[in-house]
Amino acid sequence: MSSPNPHAIDADTLSGMKPLRKVVYSIGSNLGDRLGNVQGAVDALSDTPDVIVVDISSVYETKPFGGPPDSPQFLNIVVIAETTLEPATLVERAFADGPMEVVITGD
């Protein structure tokens, strides 16, 4: 008699599960406490139910593109996360903390 396959998955236990999607956030700030604003955004993502922060880039300082010529420089990071949330829910949560630009790509 052979032993059960330890890698077998019972399909019944997977019903109702949502797929895990990869999300890439580009976060930047050029007003007030720039570093505090960027860190606050990362903290808010980390505290969001159903969002798992996987990786965070280094911080980069860049010149503003467009806007008034005397605009302060930006601090920017990229955050990679995984989530079971739908894109529309992610957008709703992003706008809950104030104005920002949101771009959705992929499935």
Side-chain angles (χ1 to χ4, degrees), residues 23-103:
V23 181
V24 179
Y25 292 92
S26 176
I27 299 171
S29 175
N30 73 333
L31 300 175
D33 178 8
R34 300 176 305 159
L35 189 56
N37 294 338
V38 169
Q39 183 62 58
V42 172
D43 292 344
L45 282 174
S46 296
D47 292 342
T48 301
D50 302 316
V51 174
I52 303 161
V53 173
V54 175
D55 202 5
I56 303 171
S57 74
S58 299
V59 177
Y60 294 91
E61 188 169 34
T62 60
K63 295 179 184 177
F65 181 78
D70 59 342
S71 295
Q73 294 204 52
F74 277 84
L75 290 184
N76 300 287
I77 63 168
V78 172
V79 176
I80 298 174
E82 293 179 337
T83 184
T84 56
L85 299 175
E86 295 294 325
T89 304
L90 291 172
V91 171
E92 287 171 14
R93 290 189 181 180
F95 281 108
D97 290 329
M100 62 185 60
E101 181 178 342
V102 177
V103 178

